[in-house]
Amino acid sequence: MPKKKPGPSGRRPVYWWNDEIAELRRSALALRRRYQSCLGRPGHPGVQKARFRYSAAKRALRIAIRTAKSKAWADLCALVDKDPWGRPYRLVMKKLDTRDPAADSRGREALIVDSLFPAAPATD
């Protein structure tokens, strides 16, 4: 039996993911746990401070993700001009491949048959 690949659930990371975003996510999750821990203790003096730090970390993570996505999109658009048959082509073809061709033609079978097999011209 093959060994399981390391990593969370064996999934590949998304195209815009980088080490900076991973570190920001780790930090935000740690601050969230700390904030939730403070919420569980009534009268804890650091609740507001923990909430503010968690909100700031979450905002920084969101901004970093948005920036990384827009940069990745710009890189992909630039790659289309340089290598149209490379990665951009494969991405588009993968999206087109998942469609069900029969779904587009439901209810139009007679029209398709008539256009593919026209009636023979009448001979007198």
Side-chain angles (χ1 to χ4, degrees), residues 2-123:
K3 291 185 178 184
K4 184 180 176 185
K5 292 181 182 178
S9 71
R11 295 187 331 188
R12 290 182 4 205
V14 289
Y15 61 95
W16 43 264
W17 194 262
N18 59 34
D19 293 336
E20 177 194 356
I21 293 174
E23 182 57 38
L24 286 171
R25 183 173 184 268
R26 270 193 295 276
S27 159
L29 290 177
L31 289 170
R32 184 177 123 210
R33 285 190 298 272
R34 195 168 298 141
Y35 170 58
Q36 288 178 334
S37 172
C38 290
L39 285 177
R41 295 182 245 153
H44 192 272
V47 173
Q48 291 298 332
K49 182 180 176 183
R51 178 174 175 235
F52 176 73
R53 291 176 70 192
Y54 166 58
S55 296
K58 191 166 69 165
R59 190 176 311 111
L61 174 63
R62 199 170 37 242
I63 290 169
I65 289 173
R66 192 176 305 132
T67 303
K69 281 183 176 183
S70 63
K71 183 183 178 313
W73 176 252
D75 291 346
L76 184 65
C77 290
L79 193 60
V80 168
D81 294 332
K82 293 177 186 172
D83 184 19
W85 301 109
R87 187 168 155 232
Y89 176 78
R90 288 195 307 268
L91 287 172
V92 169
M93 291 310 291
K94 191 179 350 176
K95 293 291 183 187
L96 293 177
D97 237 2
T98 59
R99 285 188 28 218
D100 181 20
D104 291 341
S105 62
R106 287 200 176 99
R108 299 185 306 157
E109 293 88 357
L111 179 66
I112 292 171
V113 169
D114 288 342
S115 64
L116 289 176
F117 306 105
T123 57

